[in-house]
Amino acid sequence: MSAVQVSFEISPIFQRITSGLDPEHARAEVTARIHAQGAAVPDEVIDEITAEYQKVSTMLADTGVLYSGSCFGQFDGDWSMGSLTIGVQPLSYRDPEVAIAGMTKILAAEHGRHADVNALTLPCGQATLVLRQSPDLRLPAEFSDSGEDLPIDVAQLQAFIPVPPSAVPGAQTLVTVTFSTPSTDHWADYCELLVPLLHSIRFRPAHEAEWGAPAPEAAPSVAGGPATAFG
């Protein structure tokens, strides 16, 4: 299997997530980022953001990923947040199109009516796209008016991309992009950020790098210019 370098462009609203944070340090980091925006945020909103942020931070410590970032700010005055991960894992396949057909069929059967599962073509190759919404995240009882745990709908986009042999000969690598947000009212706004990200992904052998320097495992760059009204 050939090692793969993955490059991509990310909207400047995303900031890298620190891995392995405990709840106290996760809250401190979330609070610092919010205060850096000069905003006054209710404690219950900070609690909700911290819970999601610490959950992702713990996942990063347990499973290696190429990139993970989070964003929180405002769309039209409403607070919003989301998390993004880009990871790789080995996958055995001869033809990416056959792999995509198989994944699309399996994931469609697995999620049933609770998700839209489709194959699509990106500049970097074929992909399976999964869009779904589920109440996996719960607001603890102590933070709810009812005194009971409350489900929070989480909208999620996942793109599964087998690296084409035309880009990296001998590649047997699956790249997975996952974006999740409990701010489902802002889904269309986030899609405006995710589509350019997916279209920016590129692959090449890990031993090839510009200027003859060793290639990093992941080479993200920040897209310039104002991406949205988020802020």
Side-chain angles (χ1 to χ4, degrees):
M1 180 179 70
S2 297
V4 176
Q5 181 187 12
V6 185
S7 63
F8 43 89
E9 293 183 356
I10 297 176
S11 166
I13 74 167
F14 287 101
Q15 297 186 48
R16 278 188 179 270
I17 296 175
T18 306
S19 64
L21 291 175
D22 59 28
E24 180 181 355
H25 288 91
R27 184 182 178 88
E29 192 162 311
V30 166
T31 302
R33 291 191 185 185
I34 290 176
H35 287 172
Q37 299 184 27
V41 181
D43 286 343
E44 58 269 23
V45 175
I46 293 179
D47 290 334
E48 179 182 329
I49 294 173
T50 296
E52 178 74 4
Y53 185 72
Q54 198 264 333
K55 181 171 112 179
V56 174
S57 179
T58 298
M59 179 198 71
L60 290 181
D62 296 337
T63 59
V65 297
L66 293 182
Y67 174 88
S68 184
S70 66
C71 59
F72 33 85
Q74 290 179 298
F75 283 114
D76 299 325
D78 293 329
W79 283 100
S80 187
M81 69 166 294
S83 62
L84 172 71
T85 60
I86 300 174
V88 297
Q89 64 188 87
L91 178 70
S92 296
Y93 56 95
R94 292 185 179 180
D95 185 334
E97 292 188 3
V98 174
I100 286 297
M103 285 191 296
T104 301
K105 182 177 181 179
I106 291 171
L107 290 169
E110 177 182 333
H111 295 298
R113 295 177 298 173
H114 302 293
D116 290 326
V117 182
N118 295 284
L120 77 159
T121 301
L122 297 172
C124 65
Q126 297 291 309
T128 294
L129 185 69
V130 180
L131 302 174
R132 66 191 185 98
Q133 185 170 330
S134 63
D136 293 335
L137 182 66
R138 305 187 73 82
L139 183 67
E142 57 266 33
F143 301 127
S144 70
D145 294 335
S146 65
E148 299 179 352
D149 286 357
L150 295 178
I152 301 175
D153 282 341
V154 177
Q156 185 180 80
L157 175 150
Q158 284 190 297
F160 301 90
I161 314 168
V163 177
S166 58
V168 182
Q172 295 285 276
T173 303
L174 178 69
V175 174
T176 304
V177 179
T178 302
F179 174 79
S180 300
T181 177
S183 307
T184 55
D185 289 345
H186 304 142
W187 183 246
D189 298 291
Y190 284 120
C191 285
E192 292 183 5
L193 305 177
L194 298 173
V195 170
L197 164 64
L198 293 175
H199 281 259
S200 75
I201 295 173
R202 295 293 186 274
F203 308 124
R204 60 180 174 178
H207 61 79
E208 294 183 7
E210 295 181 11
W211 317 118
E217 188 174 19
S221 62
V222 177
T228 67
F230 195 89

